[in-house]
Amino acid sequence: MTREEELQQMLLLAQSIGQGVSFLMTKLLAEHVKMQCADREACMVETREMLEQALSSFWLHVPGKDGDEYDLSPLIRERVKMILDVIEGEARHTLNLAPPLKERH
């Protein structure tokens, strides 16, 4: 197997794992909202805010070839926020809630 084929397999595996984690997070979010509050909309908003707050504390520094460290935290946080948007949208659909505010306008 060539290095390129190996990297393609690793990418497919990473994408599959990401899809699995997204599926589980959607189910977890929907079940959490169902069990926590009578007002599901308020609970969804509150839970999303908690997720955003937790994400804001995430950081990732990676070493470069030159020995310096690079802060990838902002990039990773933005990408995770996009995934959270999808998860929230799917959980809202599961719970028959309106789409997130940013999608309603």
Side-chain angles (χ1 to χ4, degrees):
M1 176 181 305
T2 68
R3 179 72 176 143
E4 184 176 328
E5 291 170 332
E6 184 180 322
L7 290 172
Q8 286 177 340
Q9 270 192 329
M10 289 172 59
L11 177 60
L12 287 173
L13 178 60
Q15 288 172 330
S16 298
I17 291 169
Q19 288 173 344
V21 170
S22 292
F23 173 80
L24 290 175
M25 287 295 299
T26 299
K27 294 293 185 186
L28 180 62
L29 180 56
E31 289 301 315
H32 171 78
V33 169
K34 273 199 281 189
M35 295 180 72
Q36 292 298 315
C37 305
D39 183 348
R40 291 181 176 178
E41 177 62 33
C43 193
M44 180 66 76
V45 170
E46 182 179 306
T47 303
R48 177 60 193 256
E49 288 172 358
M50 289 180 353
L51 289 169
E52 294 270 350
Q53 185 176 20
L55 183 59
S56 71
S57 67
F58 172 81
W59 63 272
L60 177 66
H61 291 224
V62 295
K65 290 182 181 180
D66 56 4
D68 290 339
E69 283 199 351
Y70 296 94
D71 183 8
L72 294 182
S73 307
L75 173 66
I76 300 300
R77 281 193 295 268
E78 284 306 310
R79 291 194 181 184
V80 171
K81 280 183 185 180
M82 290 188 304
I83 294 168
L84 283 176
D85 288 344
V86 172
I87 289 168
E88 179 185 354
E90 291 175 5
R92 284 176 167 280
H93 177 75
T94 299
L95 297 170
N96 295 316
L97 295 174
L101 282 174
K102 54 184 130 186
E103 291 181 22
R104 291 186 226 167
H105 300 288

